[in-house]
Amino acid sequence: MNQFGNLINALETAPAERPFITYWVDEDEQTTITFGEFRAKARAHADVLRVQGVMAGDRVVVIMPQGILAMTAFVGAMMLGAVPAFLAYPNFKIEPTKYSSGLRGVTANLRARLVVIDEQFPDEILGHIALADDTTLLRIGDVQPRVVAAFQPREIAGGTLAFIQHSAGTTGLQKGVALTHDAVLRQIGYVSEALKIDAERDCVYSWLPLYHDMGLIACFMLPMVCHLHVVMQSPLDWVMYPGSMLEIVSKYRCTLVWQPNFAFQFIPRRTPENRRQGCDLSSLRALINCSEPVRTASMEEFERAFSPSGLRPGGVQSSYAMAENVFAATQSDVYDSSGPRRIWADGREFRSRHRIVPVAECQGALSFTSSGRLLPNHEIRIVSESNVELHDGEVGEILLKSDCLFQGYYNRPDLTADGFVDGWYRTGDLGFLLEGELYVVGRRKDLLIVGGENLYPQDIEEIVAGHPAIHDGRAVALGIYDHSLGTEEIVLVAEVERKELIADREQLERDIRGRVVAGLGVAVKRIFLKPPKWIVKSTAGKPARTASREKLLQEHPELCNET
Amino acid sequence: MTSAEQQMVEHIVRLIRKPAISIDENTALVSSGLIDSMELVDLLLKLEDITNLRIPAGKVQPKDMDTVVKMFATAQRVGKARKS
């Protein structure tokens, strides 16, 4: 992508008649906009923002529903040399108090010149947007491109900020990652080379929100720069009908998809048989699992479910990505028909000596899926707690250095300073390198350390959630420090499928302990069986470990006394 | 209560699994914490089913789903007829 001076130049050179975005509302309604039409609408929006006094370097916050209008407003701001940021639009799935508090924090930190909202933005939330004295709040609707045909984007140096993307989920968006045009173009160049992207052949499908790096970089900026067609839908419509992915990929012959690990289970479990019939996934070159640790079982579940629908062997791929690096740091080999490398390792060696000793598949062995090899100009170090570099197959924190790495968190030098050590970015993820490939095993803050053994809560939770009396996906494993023993003990909270099952508590606890011991060789100290809906969930519907831990300690203060 | 509202109330009673709590068409569900975000997805699907309308999820806010009466009003406001 070295031929482009900035992201807008890349858009300007796209063939005018080529379809850019198809926005899928539902099976009856879709809208397609070509690159030429998109450019014209973005220019029209740029002019609307210019009239409001937006200048180069100004922050422009875009809080609009997923769709073409939000995208043309975002690019319109970039055309002025301003620095846009997408924030999540309020929706029925986000708890209003949590949303408002996150919104207030982020808008205050960005000190935007302009906050752009749509005409339907709920009035009751307006008061939670932090407006500085010189911030304007602007409601915009569709624009007529012919009005501003004469508008020309300004010249933008590649080293200037292109936009800000946020590194967390839908709420508590505190860390704005500031990225330059050059860094984004370099990243897109590396990803497109790794995936051998071809504008004549490739088409992207996305249900990902635009405020997330996968949605913004892989499914908006990459298609814009590489001149690809992208077919997108709202994450809210997807969560209601996850099987719509199959319909869209089949209809538009999509070749590239990115999504987080949980979707690889969510789609097969929520797609009824009648929606699978007639679907054809044979066009998919790469369905890439990234942004969460890659779980072998999730990918296999998806493959089993959709091989009959034409999903080709090796169609499911993996990548290690984060907003701080624009997007990807690694990518698996999309031309390897066996898919990302999967290994089995000795469970005891992994937990007690934090290293990988490959073994054949057997009881007690752990399975890991590779996230692939490093992209060009990327380096990774795996380090111990004391920052000593570890060898191949040794598990430690992943540190990253690259020419795509962010300059810092916007307006947060404190967080930026904490994020780096000796020029390396501390990802907070744990993983290991093996024969040149990276394996990510979990988040450092979630790790349980029991008697010197490293345990990953998701391994325990997966076993427990497999018990028929436990509600699927509603188990949380926690480490509670025991001062008398000088180590953490495993405490488990799980929701029973039906309240009356708690009556059989003793038998149930015995079963669960037995399963965890058989699977991982470790003992659970305390099990708390709770009625349905006890576990606190994130906005994505997944168990929230920290909030569930706080709730447990409040209900059972003896746990604090014991420790 | 209309028969459609009655159908929805019965669905909610089954969904929340709290027999001690009585639910009617004006019971606050979201603001009282009786239902959570993933259950709202389930309720929207049920609402589509009962009304035979397609309801664009992006046009629905938590307050629109707070009571059964509000749910049906929302369906009328933003729902559209299915073509297929």
Side-chain angles (χ1 to χ4, degrees), chain A residues 151-183:
Chain A
F151 176 85
Q152 286 299 318
R154 55 173 284 132
E155 272 310 305
I156 303 162
T160 56
L161 287 187
F163 51 79
I164 293 169
Q165 65 176 352
H166 287 87
S167 64
T170 48
T171 53
L173 292 166
Q174 301 304 320
K175 295 194 284 189
V177 176
L179 298 168
T180 64
H181 286 265
D182 283 345

PDB file of all heavy atoms in Angstrom, chain A residues 151-183:
ATOM      1  N   PHE A 151     -16.123  20.163  -3.841  1.00  0.00           N
ATOM      2  CA  PHE A 151     -15.269  19.985  -2.661  1.00  0.00           C
ATOM      3  C   PHE A 151     -14.126  19.026  -2.966  1.00  0.00           C
ATOM      4  O   PHE A 151     -14.323  17.943  -3.497  1.00  0.00           O
ATOM      5  CB  PHE A 151     -16.087  19.444  -1.480  1.00  0.00           C
ATOM      6  CG  PHE A 151     -15.228  19.146  -0.274  1.00  0.00           C
ATOM      7  CD1 PHE A 151     -14.918  20.152   0.624  1.00  0.00           C
ATOM      8  CD2 PHE A 151     -14.706  17.875  -0.066  1.00  0.00           C
ATOM      9  CE1 PHE A 151     -14.107  19.889   1.715  1.00  0.00           C
ATOM     10  CE2 PHE A 151     -13.889  17.606   1.017  1.00  0.00           C
ATOM     11  CZ  PHE A 151     -13.595  18.611   1.913  1.00  0.00           C
ATOM     12  N   GLN A 152     -12.917  19.388  -2.628  1.00  0.00           N
ATOM     13  CA  GLN A 152     -11.770  18.502  -2.812  1.00  0.00           C
ATOM     14  C   GLN A 152     -11.134  18.227  -1.451  1.00  0.00           C
ATOM     15  O   GLN A 152     -10.900  19.155  -0.669  1.00  0.00           O
ATOM     16  CB  GLN A 152     -10.725  19.169  -3.720  1.00  0.00           C
ATOM     17  CG  GLN A 152     -11.130  19.210  -5.187  1.00  0.00           C
ATOM     18  CD  GLN A 152     -11.332  17.813  -5.784  1.00  0.00           C
ATOM     19  OE1 GLN A 152     -10.564  16.891  -5.532  1.00  0.00           O
ATOM     20  NE2 GLN A 152     -12.395  17.653  -6.570  1.00  0.00           N
ATOM     21  N   PRO A 153     -10.832  16.939  -1.153  1.00  0.00           N
ATOM     22  CA  PRO A 153     -10.162  16.636   0.108  1.00  0.00           C
ATOM     23  C   PRO A 153      -8.835  17.380   0.203  1.00  0.00           C
ATOM     24  O   PRO A 153      -8.166  17.584  -0.822  1.00  0.00           O
ATOM     25  CB  PRO A 153      -9.933  15.133   0.042  1.00  0.00           C
ATOM     26  CG  PRO A 153     -10.907  14.633  -0.960  1.00  0.00           C
ATOM     27  CD  PRO A 153     -11.107  15.745  -1.940  1.00  0.00           C
ATOM     28  N   ARG A 154      -8.435  17.776   1.413  1.00  0.00           N
ATOM     29  CA  ARG A 154      -7.174  18.496   1.561  1.00  0.00           C
ATOM     30  C   ARG A 154      -6.010  17.503   1.519  1.00  0.00           C
ATOM     31  O   ARG A 154      -6.186  16.300   1.693  1.00  0.00           O
ATOM     32  CB  ARG A 154      -7.151  19.293   2.854  1.00  0.00           C
ATOM     33  CG  ARG A 154      -7.433  18.480   4.110  1.00  0.00           C
ATOM     34  CD  ARG A 154      -7.241  19.274   5.370  1.00  0.00           C
ATOM     35  NE  ARG A 154      -5.805  19.418   5.656  1.00  0.00           N
ATOM     36  CZ  ARG A 154      -5.243  20.567   5.969  1.00  0.00           C
ATOM     37  NH1 ARG A 154      -5.949  21.666   6.034  1.00  0.00           N
ATOM     38  NH2 ARG A 154      -3.942  20.632   6.232  1.00  0.00           N
ATOM     39  N   GLU A 155      -4.842  18.007   1.264  1.00  0.00           N
ATOM     40  CA  GLU A 155      -3.649  17.153   1.262  1.00  0.00           C
ATOM     41  C   GLU A 155      -3.314  16.764   2.697  1.00  0.00           C
ATOM     42  O   GLU A 155      -3.291  17.614   3.595  1.00  0.00           O
ATOM     43  CB  GLU A 155      -2.464  17.903   0.631  1.00  0.00           C
ATOM     44  CG  GLU A 155      -2.402  17.743  -0.873  1.00  0.00           C
ATOM     45  CD  GLU A 155      -2.508  16.285  -1.324  1.00  0.00           C
ATOM     46  OE1 GLU A 155      -1.709  15.453  -0.849  1.00  0.00           O
ATOM     47  OE2 GLU A 155      -3.397  15.968  -2.144  1.00  0.00           O
ATOM     48  N   ILE A 156      -3.088  15.506   2.938  1.00  0.00           N
ATOM     49  CA  ILE A 156      -2.829  15.031   4.296  1.00  0.00           C
ATOM     50  C   ILE A 156      -1.509  14.278   4.306  1.00  0.00           C
ATOM     51  O   ILE A 156      -1.312  13.344   3.509  1.00  0.00           O
ATOM     52  CB  ILE A 156      -3.961  14.074   4.757  1.00  0.00           C
ATOM     53  CG1 ILE A 156      -5.323  14.782   4.667  1.00  0.00           C
ATOM     54  CG2 ILE A 156      -3.708  13.576   6.171  1.00  0.00           C
ATOM     55  CD1 ILE A 156      -6.499  13.834   4.677  1.00  0.00           C
ATOM     56  N   ALA A 157      -0.605  14.656   5.190  1.00  0.00           N
ATOM     57  CA  ALA A 157       0.679  13.949   5.297  1.00  0.00           C
ATOM     58  C   ALA A 157       0.452  12.583   5.955  1.00  0.00           C
ATOM     59  O   ALA A 157      -0.378  12.449   6.860  1.00  0.00           O
ATOM     60  CB  ALA A 157       1.652  14.774   6.131  1.00  0.00           C
ATOM     61  N   GLY A 158       1.171  11.574   5.477  1.00  0.00           N
ATOM     62  CA  GLY A 158       0.979  10.213   5.976  1.00  0.00           C
ATOM     63  C   GLY A 158       1.272  10.056   7.459  1.00  0.00           C
ATOM     64  O   GLY A 158       0.755   9.162   8.123  1.00  0.00           O
ATOM     65  N   GLY A 159       2.108  10.940   7.981  1.00  0.00           N
ATOM     66  CA  GLY A 159       2.494  10.808   9.384  1.00  0.00           C
ATOM     67  C   GLY A 159       1.504  11.428  10.355  1.00  0.00           C
ATOM     68  O   GLY A 159       1.688  11.362  11.578  1.00  0.00           O
ATOM     69  N   THR A 160       0.433  12.031   9.831  1.00  0.00           N
ATOM     70  CA  THR A 160      -0.536  12.657  10.741  1.00  0.00           C
ATOM     71  C   THR A 160      -1.593  11.637  11.176  1.00  0.00           C
ATOM     72  O   THR A 160      -1.781  10.605  10.546  1.00  0.00           O
ATOM     73  CB  THR A 160      -1.246  13.861  10.075  1.00  0.00           C
ATOM     74  OG1 THR A 160      -1.856  13.398   8.865  1.00  0.00           O
ATOM     75  CG2 THR A 160      -0.279  14.962   9.748  1.00  0.00           C
ATOM     76  N   LEU A 161      -2.280  11.989  12.255  1.00  0.00           N
ATOM     77  CA  LEU A 161      -3.281  11.065  12.783  1.00  0.00           C
ATOM     78  C   LEU A 161      -4.430  10.895  11.796  1.00  0.00           C
ATOM     79  O   LEU A 161      -4.941  11.871  11.253  1.00  0.00           O
ATOM     80  CB  LEU A 161      -3.840  11.574  14.112  1.00  0.00           C
ATOM     81  CG  LEU A 161      -2.929  11.476  15.336  1.00  0.00           C
ATOM     82  CD1 LEU A 161      -3.705  11.864  16.591  1.00  0.00           C
ATOM     83  CD2 LEU A 161      -2.340  10.080  15.487  1.00  0.00           C
ATOM     84  N   ALA A 162      -4.835   9.626  11.611  1.00  0.00           N
ATOM     85  CA  ALA A 162      -5.946   9.329  10.704  1.00  0.00           C
ATOM     86  C   ALA A 162      -7.242   9.230  11.486  1.00  0.00           C
ATOM     87  O   ALA A 162      -8.273   9.763  11.089  1.00  0.00           O
ATOM     88  CB  ALA A 162      -5.689   8.019   9.975  1.00  0.00           C
ATOM     89  N   PHE A 163      -7.219   8.485  12.595  1.00  0.00           N
ATOM     90  CA  PHE A 163      -8.417   8.315  13.433  1.00  0.00           C
ATOM     91  C   PHE A 163      -8.018   7.725  14.772  1.00  0.00           C
ATOM     92  O   PHE A 163      -6.847   7.379  14.993  1.00  0.00           O
ATOM     93  CB  PHE A 163      -9.472   7.430  12.740  1.00  0.00           C
ATOM     94  CG  PHE A 163      -8.966   6.110  12.218  1.00  0.00           C
ATOM     95  CD1 PHE A 163      -8.766   5.034  13.060  1.00  0.00           C
ATOM     96  CD2 PHE A 163      -8.684   5.950  10.859  1.00  0.00           C
ATOM     97  CE1 PHE A 163      -8.306   3.823  12.571  1.00  0.00           C
ATOM     98  CE2 PHE A 163      -8.213   4.735  10.367  1.00  0.00           C
ATOM     99  CZ  PHE A 163      -8.022   3.666  11.234  1.00  0.00           C
ATOM    100  N   ILE A 164      -9.013   7.643  15.636  1.00  0.00           N
ATOM    101  CA  ILE A 164      -8.804   7.034  16.954  1.00  0.00           C
ATOM    102  C   ILE A 164      -9.731   5.830  17.048  1.00  0.00           C
ATOM    103  O   ILE A 164     -10.927   5.935  16.769  1.00  0.00           O
ATOM    104  CB  ILE A 164      -9.119   8.050  18.075  1.00  0.00           C
ATOM    105  CG1 ILE A 164      -8.079   9.177  18.047  1.00  0.00           C
ATOM    106  CG2 ILE A 164      -9.136   7.372  19.452  1.00  0.00           C
ATOM    107  CD1 ILE A 164      -8.422  10.360  18.920  1.00  0.00           C
ATOM    108  N   GLN A 165      -9.180   4.674  17.417  1.00  0.00           N
ATOM    109  CA  GLN A 165     -10.049   3.521  17.662  1.00  0.00           C
ATOM    110  C   GLN A 165      -9.879   3.110  19.121  1.00  0.00           C
ATOM    111  O   GLN A 165      -8.834   3.321  19.721  1.00  0.00           O
ATOM    112  CB  GLN A 165      -9.768   2.371  16.706  1.00  0.00           C
ATOM    113  CG  GLN A 165      -8.413   1.707  16.824  1.00  0.00           C
ATOM    114  CD  GLN A 165      -8.275   0.505  15.882  1.00  0.00           C
ATOM    115  OE1 GLN A 165      -9.229   0.088  15.247  1.00  0.00           O
ATOM    116  NE2 GLN A 165      -7.073  -0.047  15.783  1.00  0.00           N
ATOM    117  N   HIS A 166     -10.928   2.547  19.675  1.00  0.00           N
ATOM    118  CA  HIS A 166     -10.894   2.220  21.096  1.00  0.00           C
ATOM    119  C   HIS A 166     -10.606   0.750  21.316  1.00  0.00           C
ATOM    120  O   HIS A 166     -11.008  -0.103  20.530  1.00  0.00           O
ATOM    121  CB  HIS A 166     -12.190   2.672  21.770  1.00  0.00           C
ATOM    122  CG  HIS A 166     -12.232   4.160  21.899  1.00  0.00           C
ATOM    123  ND1 HIS A 166     -12.713   4.971  20.895  1.00  0.00           N
ATOM    124  CD2 HIS A 166     -11.788   4.975  22.881  1.00  0.00           C
ATOM    125  CE1 HIS A 166     -12.568   6.234  21.273  1.00  0.00           C
ATOM    126  NE2 HIS A 166     -12.017   6.264  22.469  1.00  0.00           N
ATOM    127  N   SER A 167      -9.893   0.490  22.411  1.00  0.00           N
ATOM    128  CA  SER A 167      -9.330  -0.848  22.573  1.00  0.00           C
ATOM    129  C   SER A 167     -10.217  -1.779  23.383  1.00  0.00           C
ATOM    130  O   SER A 167      -9.942  -2.956  23.459  1.00  0.00           O
ATOM    131  CB  SER A 167      -7.962  -0.757  23.231  1.00  0.00           C
ATOM    132  OG  SER A 167      -8.103  -0.238  24.529  1.00  0.00           O
ATOM    133  N   ALA A 168     -11.270  -1.260  24.011  1.00  0.00           N
ATOM    134  CA  ALA A 168     -12.107  -2.150  24.816  1.00  0.00           C
ATOM    135  C   ALA A 168     -13.424  -2.411  24.102  1.00  0.00           C
ATOM    136  O   ALA A 168     -13.584  -2.102  22.929  1.00  0.00           O
ATOM    137  CB  ALA A 168     -12.346  -1.538  26.190  1.00  0.00           C
ATOM    138  N   GLY A 169     -14.399  -2.956  24.858  1.00  0.00           N
ATOM    139  CA  GLY A 169     -15.669  -3.329  24.260  1.00  0.00           C
ATOM    140  C   GLY A 169     -16.618  -2.163  24.154  1.00  0.00           C
ATOM    141  O   GLY A 169     -16.203  -1.011  23.974  1.00  0.00           O
ATOM    142  N   THR A 170     -17.886  -2.456  24.298  1.00  0.00           N
ATOM    143  CA  THR A 170     -18.894  -1.441  24.041  1.00  0.00           C
ATOM    144  C   THR A 170     -19.025  -0.426  25.170  1.00  0.00           C
ATOM    145  O   THR A 170     -19.516   0.660  24.970  1.00  0.00           O
ATOM    146  CB  THR A 170     -20.255  -2.104  23.852  1.00  0.00           C
ATOM    147  OG1 THR A 170     -20.447  -3.030  24.903  1.00  0.00           O
ATOM    148  CG2 THR A 170     -20.354  -2.789  22.529  1.00  0.00           C
ATOM    149  N   THR A 171     -18.620  -0.797  26.354  1.00  0.00           N
ATOM    150  CA  THR A 171     -18.721   0.156  27.464  1.00  0.00           C
ATOM    151  C   THR A 171     -17.342   0.339  28.075  1.00  0.00           C
ATOM    152  O   THR A 171     -16.426  -0.421  27.794  1.00  0.00           O
ATOM    153  CB  THR A 171     -19.679  -0.356  28.542  1.00  0.00           C
ATOM    154  OG1 THR A 171     -19.259  -1.662  28.911  1.00  0.00           O
ATOM    155  CG2 THR A 171     -21.102  -0.395  28.049  1.00  0.00           C
ATOM    156  N   GLY A 172     -17.208   1.356  28.911  1.00  0.00           N
ATOM    157  CA  GLY A 172     -15.928   1.603  29.557  1.00  0.00           C
ATOM    158  C   GLY A 172     -14.836   1.865  28.545  1.00  0.00           C
ATOM    159  O   GLY A 172     -13.681   1.486  28.727  1.00  0.00           O
ATOM    160  N   LEU A 173     -15.214   2.508  27.445  1.00  0.00           N
ATOM    161  CA  LEU A 173     -14.238   2.758  26.390  1.00  0.00           C
ATOM    162  C   LEU A 173     -13.292   3.862  26.838  1.00  0.00           C
ATOM    163  O   LEU A 173     -13.479   5.012  26.507  1.00  0.00           O
ATOM    164  CB  LEU A 173     -14.958   3.210  25.125  1.00  0.00           C
ATOM    165  CG  LEU A 173     -15.841   2.200  24.408  1.00  0.00           C
ATOM    166  CD1 LEU A 173     -16.723   2.901  23.407  1.00  0.00           C
ATOM    167  CD2 LEU A 173     -14.999   1.168  23.719  1.00  0.00           C
ATOM    168  N   GLN A 174     -12.292   3.507  27.572  1.00  0.00           N
ATOM    169  CA  GLN A 174     -11.434   4.531  28.152  1.00  0.00           C
ATOM    170  C   GLN A 174     -10.168   4.787  27.344  1.00  0.00           C
ATOM    171  O   GLN A 174      -9.590   5.840  27.439  1.00  0.00           O
ATOM    172  CB  GLN A 174     -11.056   4.157  29.590  1.00  0.00           C
ATOM    173  CG  GLN A 174     -12.249   3.990  30.523  1.00  0.00           C
ATOM    174  CD  GLN A 174     -13.126   5.226  30.577  1.00  0.00           C
ATOM    175  OE1 GLN A 174     -12.633   6.351  30.586  1.00  0.00           O
ATOM    176  NE2 GLN A 174     -14.434   5.038  30.584  1.00  0.00           N
ATOM    177  N   LYS A 175      -9.725   3.795  26.572  1.00  0.00           N
ATOM    178  CA  LYS A 175      -8.419   3.921  25.943  1.00  0.00           C
ATOM    179  C   LYS A 175      -8.550   4.150  24.442  1.00  0.00           C
ATOM    180  O   LYS A 175      -8.841   3.232  23.688  1.00  0.00           O
ATOM    181  CB  LYS A 175      -7.596   2.671  26.217  1.00  0.00           C
ATOM    182  CG  LYS A 175      -7.284   2.503  27.704  1.00  0.00           C
ATOM    183  CD  LYS A 175      -6.204   1.479  27.964  1.00  0.00           C
ATOM    184  CE  LYS A 175      -6.694   0.075  27.817  1.00  0.00           C
ATOM    185  NZ  LYS A 175      -5.695  -0.914  28.267  1.00  0.00           N
ATOM    186  N   GLY A 176      -8.349   5.391  24.034  1.00  0.00           N
ATOM    187  CA  GLY A 176      -8.412   5.721  22.613  1.00  0.00           C
ATOM    188  C   GLY A 176      -7.035   5.502  21.991  1.00  0.00           C
ATOM    189  O   GLY A 176      -6.049   6.103  22.410  1.00  0.00           O
ATOM    190  N   VAL A 177      -6.975   4.659  20.978  1.00  0.00           N
ATOM    191  CA  VAL A 177      -5.707   4.351  20.324  1.00  0.00           C
ATOM    192  C   VAL A 177      -5.570   5.257  19.100  1.00  0.00           C
ATOM    193  O   VAL A 177      -6.371   5.166  18.169  1.00  0.00           O
ATOM    194  CB  VAL A 177      -5.683   2.865  19.894  1.00  0.00           C
ATOM    195  CG1 VAL A 177      -4.411   2.552  19.131  1.00  0.00           C
ATOM    196  CG2 VAL A 177      -5.830   1.957  21.110  1.00  0.00           C
ATOM    197  N   ALA A 178      -4.575   6.136  19.145  1.00  0.00           N
ATOM    198  CA  ALA A 178      -4.403   7.113  18.061  1.00  0.00           C
ATOM    199  C   ALA A 178      -3.500   6.516  16.983  1.00  0.00           C
ATOM    200  O   ALA A 178      -2.393   6.061  17.271  1.00  0.00           O
ATOM    201  CB  ALA A 178      -3.781   8.383  18.640  1.00  0.00           C
ATOM    202  N   LEU A 179      -3.968   6.518  15.732  1.00  0.00           N
ATOM    203  CA  LEU A 179      -3.237   5.853  14.644  1.00  0.00           C
ATOM    204  C   LEU A 179      -3.001   6.804  13.474  1.00  0.00           C
ATOM    205  O   LEU A 179      -3.889   7.573  13.100  1.00  0.00           O
ATOM    206  CB  LEU A 179      -4.035   4.644  14.151  1.00  0.00           C
ATOM    207  CG  LEU A 179      -4.267   3.555  15.202  1.00  0.00           C
ATOM    208  CD1 LEU A 179      -5.305   2.560  14.714  1.00  0.00           C
ATOM    209  CD2 LEU A 179      -2.971   2.850  15.543  1.00  0.00           C
ATOM    210  N   THR A 180      -1.810   6.699  12.880  1.00  0.00           N
ATOM    211  CA  THR A 180      -1.497   7.555  11.729  1.00  0.00           C
ATOM    212  C   THR A 180      -1.910   6.862  10.426  1.00  0.00           C
ATOM    213  O   THR A 180      -2.059   5.645  10.375  1.00  0.00           O
ATOM    214  CB  THR A 180       0.020   7.834  11.651  1.00  0.00           C
ATOM    215  OG1 THR A 180       0.686   6.594  11.430  1.00  0.00           O
ATOM    216  CG2 THR A 180       0.543   8.490  12.915  1.00  0.00           C
ATOM    217  N   HIS A 181      -2.039   7.675   9.372  1.00  0.00           N
ATOM    218  CA  HIS A 181      -2.330   7.112   8.047  1.00  0.00           C
ATOM    219  C   HIS A 181      -1.265   6.092   7.662  1.00  0.00           C
ATOM    220  O   HIS A 181      -1.581   5.011   7.157  1.00  0.00           O
ATOM    221  CB  HIS A 181      -2.353   8.228   6.990  1.00  0.00           C
ATOM    222  CG  HIS A 181      -3.574   9.092   7.052  1.00  0.00           C
ATOM    223  ND1 HIS A 181      -4.678   8.868   6.286  1.00  0.00           N
ATOM    224  CD2 HIS A 181      -3.861  10.184   7.806  1.00  0.00           C
ATOM    225  CE1 HIS A 181      -5.600   9.784   6.546  1.00  0.00           C
ATOM    226  NE2 HIS A 181      -5.118  10.599   7.470  1.00  0.00           N
ATOM    227  N   ASP A 182       0.003   6.431   7.893  1.00  0.00           N
ATOM    228  CA  ASP A 182       1.091   5.527   7.504  1.00  0.00           C
ATOM    229  C   ASP A 182       0.967   4.178   8.202  1.00  0.00           C
ATOM    230  O   ASP A 182       1.136   3.127   7.576  1.00  0.00           O
ATOM    231  CB  ASP A 182       2.453   6.152   7.872  1.00  0.00           C
ATOM    232  CG  ASP A 182       2.865   7.232   6.877  1.00  0.00           C
ATOM    233  OD1 ASP A 182       2.256   7.277   5.777  1.00  0.00           O
ATOM    234  OD2 ASP A 182       3.771   8.028   7.193  1.00  0.00           O
ATOM    235  N   ALA A 183       0.698   4.209   9.515  1.00  0.00           N
ATOM    236  CA  ALA A 183       0.623   2.947  10.268  1.00  0.00           C
ATOM    237  C   ALA A 183      -0.522   2.087   9.744  1.00  0.00           C
ATOM    238  O   ALA A 183      -0.372   0.873   9.569  1.00  0.00           O
ATOM    239  CB  ALA A 183       0.436   3.229  11.758  1.00  0.00           C
TER     240      ALA A 183
END
